[in-house]
Amino acid sequence: MKKIRVSLRVNGRIFTLETDPNRRLIDVLREDLNFTGVKEGCGIGECGACTVLMNGKPVNSCLVLIGQAEGSEVVTIEGLKGKNGELHPLQEAFIEAGAVQCGYCIPGMILSAEALLQNNPHPTEDLIKEAISGNLCRCTGYRQIIDAVKIASKKIARKE
Amino acid sequence: MAGEKDKAKQIERSVPRVDAEEKISGKAQYIADLKLEGMLHAKTLRSTRSRAKITSIDIPNLPEGYFIVDKNDVPGQNRVKMIENDWPFFAEDEVNFYGEPILLVVGPERGEIGKILSSITVHYEDMEPVLTMEEAEEKGDCYFAEYSFSNGDPEKAFKEAYRIIEDSYSTGYQEHAYLEPQGMIGVYENGKITVYGSLQCPYYVKPALVQGFGWEDDRIRVVQTTTGGGFGGKEEYPSVIAGHAAFAAYKTGKPVKLIYDRKEDIETTTKRHPSVIRFRTALDRDNRITGMEVDIRLNAGAYTGLSNVVLQRAMFCCTGVYNIPDVRVMGKTIATNTVPCGALRGFGAPQAIFAIEMHIHNLAVMLGENPVEYKIKHLAGRGDRTVTGGFYREEIKLEEMLEKALDMGGYGDVSVFGSHLNQGGNEKYRGFGVSFFLHGGGFTGSGERDVIKGKVALKRRKDGKVEIMVSSVEMGQGPQTTLRKIVASTLGLPMTEILYENPDTDRVPDSGPTVASRTAMVVGFLLQGAAEELKNRWEEEDEIDVVKEYHHPDYVKWDQDAFRGDAYPAYSWGVNIAEVELDSLTYQVNVKGVWGVYDVGRPIDELIVRGQMEGGIVQGLGYAVTENLVITDGRVLQNSLTDYIIPTSRDVPGLLKVDFVDNPYEYGPGGAKGAGEIPHDGIAPAVAAAVQNALGFPIKKIPITPEYLKEVAENAFTIRS
Ligand code: FES
Ligand code: FES
C-alpha cells in the first residue's frame, strides 16, 4: 500500500509522518505518538472512549482516517491543562465530584465536556447530558459525572 | 457517646480518590496501552458451529514470524481450572458453542494476522446442538448441578394451606459491557511465565496457568494492570485469555498481546445467566404466606464455570427479605450449546430477587391488598431464620429505610403503589413501584473459611511508609482509596504514607478474589486487624511484616453438604422506589425517578459508596428495561453497543437519589458490610412493579421491552373480553 504523508498538530506540537492511508487517527495517536490516554472501547463509533477534540470539536478518533486529520489541530487528554499548566478545572471537578471509577471512559468524557463548556460555559443539566450522551460509562451511572461538569462550569466562571 | 459515634463515622467523610489523578490525566496504563520490546499480537479463531466435531483444519503456509497456537501448544492440561475441570483452553476434537476458541494466529502485524485468519478453513461434522433450557430438559441428562434443601416443614404447610398459588418468572441474559475490553499480555523469560492483564482475581489466573503449564507455582506470575471495569466479567474469564497469551508467549519466545474487540467480547465471554423461577405458595385463611416452594433454573451454557455457585447464591436469597417459615428450594444449572454464563454483579441474586419481589407483589394484587403493605407484613426481623435455617443477627431496618425513601421521593404514604391509576385514555401512563432486597456479603457458606482462606500483609518499610500487600484489585470500585483509608485511620497516619500497588502474585499473598462484595468487608477487616497489630509494634526497629489470616466469626455455623445454617456472615439491605412513565402506544418505558436507601453497615467513603450505588442502579435499569440480549440458533444477536443498549447519560432518571442508614457491623472495618453488588439487585423489581402499576397487568419477565409489553397487553385484553 502506498504510504501517505500527514502533518497534524497534536496537543500544540506539530507531527509529520508517513503512514498507511487505512490507519485511523486513534492508531496514530496511540501507537506512533504514544498518546495512550485515547482509549479504544469499540472501534466503531459507539462508545466515545476514543473522543479527542479535532479543531475544537469532539470526534470519535476511531472513525477518522488519518488522511482526514491532515492539517488539523487535535487535543487529547494529555494536552488538556489549566491556564498555568495546573489541572484543568474539569479535571479538578471530576476528582472533587468522585466522578472517576475505572477511568476508561474518563478521557473521552472530559473532552466532550470541554467542548461543551467552550461553547457554553453555563450549560443546563439537559445540555450536559446531551453533550456526553455519546460517551458511555458503565461504572458511575453518570450522576457524579454530570455533577462534575456543573462544578467545572462554576470553577471556570470564578476564574474568568 | 455522641462524640464517640461522630468519631467512628469520620471514616465516611470522602477524600479524593487515590487513583483519580492518573485517570483524569490519561496517564493510567491499561493493558492495551502497554508495549513491550519485540511484542507480537494474537487473534483468536473461533467455532462457527454450536456443536460439531472438528474433522480437520486447513492452515495456509505461514509467512516468516507468524505462528499458530492451539491445543497442542498447551504443555500441561488443556483445561481452565475453575471449579469443575470441563472448560478447555482450546477446543480439542469438538466444539460446544458458537465462538469457542480453536486456535490463535500470532505475529507482528495485525493486518497480516487478519489475512491469515480468513484463509484458515475448519472442517466440521455437525452434531445436533441443544440451544435452549426447554430443549435440554426434553432431551434429558443436562444438569451440571441439581440441588434442593428445605427449612421448617413445607409439607405440612401445603397440606394445611387454605389456598395454593403458582406462578413463574423469567430473566434474560446480561452483558457486563465494562468499557475496557478484556486483554492480556503473556511474557516468557528465564523459564518463567508472567501474565499482565485486566482482571479481578490474580489468584484465579495463577492456578489456571499452573495447571495449563503443569509447572511449579514459582514459574508463574500474574500482575494486574489498571482495570477498566469488571463487574464479574473479569472474575473467571481472564483465566482463558491469560492461558492463550501465555501459551503463545511460551511457543514464540516473545511477549504476546491478546486484546479482544468489542464484538468478540460480547459474543464469547461470560454473561449473566438467564433464569426461569417458579413458585408454589401456600396461604392461610388470612392471606398470610405460610409455605413456599421455589424452583430455580439457570441456563449455564456450554461449560460449568462458576454456574453452580451462582445457583447457590440464587437459592440462598430466593425468599428475599421475607420471613417464610416453611420452605423447599430446588435449583438446577442446565447445560446448553451456548456461550458459558458466569459471574456478573449480584451473582444470581438479581434473578432471584426479581422473581420473589414480583411474586409477592402479584400475590398482593391478586388478594386485593396493597403490595407494599403486604410485603411489610412478611418482612423478616432480627432473630428470624434465613431460608437455610440460619439467623438474621443484625437489626433489619427496612421499615425505617422505606420511610426514608418515601420521604425522599415526596410520597406521603404507600397508597400510590396500590391501585393502578391509568384506567382512562391518557397517552402517558404513570406508575410507582417498591422493592425490598438483601445481599449476603462475602463468599457463600463456609467459602471464606474453607476455600478462600484470605491472607493479607502489611509491611512497614525502613522509610516509615506502610505497604498494603493484598491480591484485591482496583477496578473502579475504590479499594485503592478505601483500603488505604482503613489502614491509615487505624494507624493514625495520613493516607499518603500508605502504599498499595496493583497486585503481583510474586509479591502479595492471596487475600482472595475481588468479588462477592467482600473486599471492603472481609479484606478491609483483615487489614484493620493487621494495622492494629502494627500500631502496637510500631516502636520496633527495621522493617515490620504483619500477616493476618481469615477467621470465621464464631457465630457463623454452616453445613455445605446440607446447605444449612448461616449462608453469609452478614447481610446488606436495600429499598428502591421507581417511578415510570409509559407511552400508551409504543410501550416505551421511561424511568423518571429512582430512590434508593441502603444499609451497608457504614460506608467507608460516602462519595465512593454513593458512586457504587448510582452506578449499580443505572446498570440495573439497563438490565430491567433496555439490555436485551437474545441467542438465536446459538448466536448472540446483539453483538455491538448499538444493538445491546446500555444506559447513556440521557437515560439517567432526572430524579436519582441515594441515601444510607447507619448500622455498623462488628466484623467489618469501621462497621462496613458489603456494598458493591446490592444496588444491582433491587432495581428491576422496583421498575417492574411500577410498570405493572401503570398498566394494570402482571410483569413476569425482564427486560421489559415494548414487544413484551405489547404481547402481555394483547393477552390481557383477550382474557378480559
Ligand atoms: S472506540 Fe471509538 S467510539 Fe468506541
Ligand atoms: S468510570 Fe468506568 S466506564 Fe466510566
Side-chain angles (χ1 to χ4, degrees), chain B residues 459-511:
Chain B
K459 182 187 272 306
R460 205 238 3 231
R461 308 192 317 184
K462 289 222 181 71
D463 63 4
K465 295 210 194 264
V466 175
E467 183 171 2
I468 295 176
M469 312 284 269
V470 295
S471 63
S472 311
V473 313
E474 172 69 68
M475 53 180 163
Q477 86 288 29
Q480 280 283 354
T481 308
T482 50
L483 294 185
R484 270 191 178 86
K485 205 172 175 185
I486 290 164
V487 172
S489 72
T490 311
L491 288 169
L493 291 176
M495 274 176 65
T496 46
E497 293 296 293
I498 316 295
L499 310 174
Y500 172 14
E501 303 283 330
N502 287 342
D504 168 345
T505 57
D506 271 8
R507 297 193 63 236
V508 299
D510 182 1
S511 61

Side-chain angles (χ1 to χ4, degrees), chain A residues 31-84:
Chain A
E31 291 163 16
D32 301 6
L33 309 182
N34 221 8
F35 292 116
T36 52
V38 184
K39 299 295 173 216
E40 180 155 358
C42 70
I44 52 174
E46 298 175 330
C47 74
C50 65
T51 304
V52 299
L53 299 182
M54 197 165 136
N55 302 325
K57 291 212 173 62
V59 298
N60 290 326
S61 61
C62 70
L63 293 183
V64 178
L65 280 174
I66 188 61
Q68 298 169 292
E70 166 62 31
S72 67
E73 181 135 354
V74 172
V75 178
T76 72
I77 192 70
E78 288 91 344
L80 196 71
K81 301 233 159 48
K83 289 219 170 80
N84 306 310

